[in-house]
Amino acid sequence: MKKIGDNPHYDRENVLVTSPLLPPLEEFIPYLEEIWQSKRLTNGGPFHQQLEKELADYLGVQHLSLFANGTLALMTAMQALRITGEVITTPYSFVATSHSLMWNGLTPVFADVDPANYNLTPEAIERAITPRTTAIMPVHCYGVPCDVERIQEIADTYGLKVIYDAAHAFGVKLNGESILNFGDMSVLSFHATKVFNTIEGGAIICPDAKTKKRIDYLKNFGFANETTVVATGINGKLNEVQAAFGLLQLKHIDVALEQRRELTTHYMKRLGKLEGIQTLIIPDEVEWNYSYFPILINEELMAKRDDIYHALQKNGIMGRRYFYPLISQFAMYKEFASAAPSNLPVAQYLSSNVICLPLYPGLSSSEVNKIVDIIESFSRDITAVNESSSLGMTG
């Protein structure tokens, strides 16, 4: 059976860390023909409206507003909640997380993360609160949920807003409920690298119709009607071609997620017991989306993370060091007091020791085996050394 993602023209010389979900081209043509006939290209057309509804239904959320990309959605979420001052966030993420704060004139305050799930810890959040703190922006890293209950308790105690960067968390559930329903808002990314994509795109999930209306005004220059501008909005609208692409994606997403699960299971069977390799632990109460496959190279493996990274590259395997460097190490952030390495020991360690391995629909079992064989060779080296030491041998 042909799998989603199969493409006879795809260059397999290199195996990339991800590859976009591309449904059959012939299935997209009717959508384009309808757009051409209507001549409606943007400004909340019928495909845009339909995708908002179908995504909300699929994800189990009440109110969803589509955006041209996830960064604009993050920026607009801050505007919609009228956030000021300092926002506590993670250094272990893609730079858009903190960039969205800076574009709003906000100060990111970095806090450390949990070594088990790579998310902000409630304890680190609480230590970072100052009189200027108005919000918390955690990331559900690799789609693994944050400690949403404890974070909400802290937010309620100190009167803070919570905006989740849920770029990785499409379809993720906690105890049967969408993870997107926690906090004041959640923001998704529909970039081509994500589990579900609209080529570029994103969305804000909010709890009520009044807030969604404000968000919709803000993403369309602040227009409430033809002659009334109610806010200093931005152009964040998703166009009809990409909305149509998203509708087609939804028809294939469950098959794609199942393929991701199968590939993850294959990785786990081969990597799960290797010395020096630590894989993500997904709690039983979490329905995950298999969005990434990060491995942590720990001190039991004598090879450094970058040795394995370069060995993979030499063999045409383009893994990625997500997230390296830390956001806090970039020039525009490193002078902040909260960016000091001593404040972020776990994040520093993860950034130096994690590789995300290729994972996407269309990746073959033989390619997974090739990837694991390369990693396993380093594990064999350390195993051989340990065995030699136990026999009293020296070399």
Side-chain angles (χ1 to χ4, degrees), residues 1-6 21 252-267 289-290 359-365 368:
M1 178 185 294
K2 182 178 179 181
K3 291 186 175 183
I4 298 296
D6 284 352
L21 175 59
H252 294 276
I253 190 63
D254 288 335
V255 174
L257 289 172
E258 176 59 20
Q259 288 181 32
R260 285 178 171 273
R261 186 194 66 79
E262 291 173 356
L263 289 164
T264 298
T265 300
H266 191 163
Y267 269 129
N289 61 6
Y290 309 95
L359 180 63
Y360 51 85
L363 185 69
S364 69
S365 295
V368 170

Side-chain angles (χ1 to χ4, degrees), residues 116-177:
N117 59 27
Y118 308 171
N119 292 323
L120 279 176
T121 69
E123 296 77 15
I125 291 170
E126 201 154 22
R127 286 195 300 270
I129 294 172
T130 75
R132 297 191 67 240
T133 306
T134 60
I136 309 165
M137 188 162 70
V139 175
H140 298 301
C141 191
Y142 305 131
V144 181
C146 297
D147 187 345
V148 291
E149 291 184 2
R150 183 73 184 99
I151 290 173
Q152 192 60 55
E153 288 175 1
I154 292 170
D156 292 343
T157 298
Y158 292 92
L160 308 176
K161 299 293 186 182
V162 180
I163 304 95
Y164 281 103
D165 182 336
H168 302 173
F170 181 93
V172 174
K173 294 181 180 179
L174 178 65
N175 293 318
E177 182 177 358

Side-chain angles (χ1 to χ4, degrees), residues 307-318:
D307 294 335
I308 297 175
Y309 170 74
H310 292 303
L312 290 169
Q313 283 199 323
K314 287 178 182 177
N315 286 274
I317 311 297
M318 303 295 117

